[in-house]
Amino acid sequence: DKAFTENVSRVVLRQLRTKRERVERTGRQIAVHWKPQELSILAWSFATLALEDSALFRAISEQVKRRTDEFGSQELSNMIWACGKVAYRDIDLMDKVAGESLSK
C-alpha cells in the first residue's frame, strides 16, 4: 500500500539522518584527537575498502589543513591518494598539501 511505503520511507530517512549526524560528530571528535599517522591510515583504510564517508573525510581534511606541518611525506601522500580513490574533493586541502610537500 502506498501510504505504508511512504511511512516506512520517512522512518528510514529519519534514521539515516540521525546516523549521518552521529558519524559527523564522531568523525570530528576522532580527527581532533588523532595523530597524523593515525588520520592518514584511517583515510587510507576507508579508501582501500572503497568506503566513501564524506563526513569523515571532511573532518580528517580539516585537521590536515590545520596541522599540515605535523604530517610527514608518507602521511600526506596517503591522504591525497585516499581522497582521489573515493573522489573526495577539497581544493584547499590539495593546495595546502602541495605547498607543504614542496617545502619538505
Side-chain angles (χ1 to χ4, degrees):
D1 158 287
K2 185 178 179 181
F4 175 77
T5 302
E6 287 175 357
N7 285 334
V8 168
S9 296
R10 276 192 216 101
V11 169
V12 169
L13 286 173
R14 199 172 321 122
Q15 289 175 342
L16 287 174
R17 269 188 234 113
T18 302
K19 285 183 181 188
R20 180 177 178 214
E21 290 166 2
R22 216 175 297 136
V23 166
E24 287 178 358
R25 260 193 322 274
T26 303
R28 284 191 300 270
Q29 291 167 352
I30 287 171
V32 170
H33 300 290
W34 284 22
K35 297 174 188 170
Q37 183 181 21
E38 296 165 338
L39 291 172
S40 71
I41 290 172
L42 180 62
W44 179 87
S45 298
F46 267 67
T48 299
L49 296 171
L51 299 173
E52 195 279 330
D53 183 330
S54 58
L56 181 65
F57 272 83
R58 190 170 35 256
I60 294 171
S61 294
E62 288 305 314
Q63 289 304 308
V64 174
K65 289 186 282 190
R66 285 189 190 116
R67 301 164 40 197
T68 307
D69 59 325
E70 296 176 31
F71 285 73
S73 299
Q74 185 67 49
E75 288 93 9
L76 293 174
S77 64
N78 283 350
M79 188 64 204
I80 296 305
W81 177 86
C83 289
K85 181 79 173 162
V86 297
Y88 177 78
R89 303 286 184 249
D90 184 333
I91 299 301
D92 293 334
L93 172 68
M94 300 301 163
D95 287 344
K96 194 89 164 152
V97 169
E100 185 65 25
S101 296
L102 291 173
S103 72
K104 290 193 182 279

